[in-house]
Amino acid sequence: MNRNLTGLLIGLVGAGFTVGAYSQTMMSTTQCLTVGLLILVFGLIVKEGFLSL
């Protein structure tokens, strides 16, 4: 799988966490937003080629 597709898939997971922050009850809203944003940053790092999977 190429870098762009991998970065996109990781970004979609992060966006899902971020958007779902207000509708779930397992984590606090702040924790869910933080996890989502960290996943988005991780996807960006993969997409830009600083880290390969």
Side-chain angles (χ1 to χ4, degrees):
M1 208 171 355
N2 66 19
R3 277 191 335 229
N4 289 334
L5 185 58
T6 303
L8 174 68
L9 293 176
I10 294 171
L12 289 175
V13 170
F17 264 95
T18 304
V19 170
Y22 297 104
S23 63
Q24 55 83 33
T25 58
M26 290 178 54
M27 299 168 60
S28 73
T29 302
T30 306
Q31 288 174 329
C32 199
L33 285 172
T34 303
V35 169
L37 291 175
L38 288 175
I39 293 172
L40 285 170
V41 169
F42 180 70
L44 180 64
I45 289 171
V46 170
K47 182 184 174 296
E48 291 298 323
F50 296 119
L51 183 70
S52 62
L53 296 179

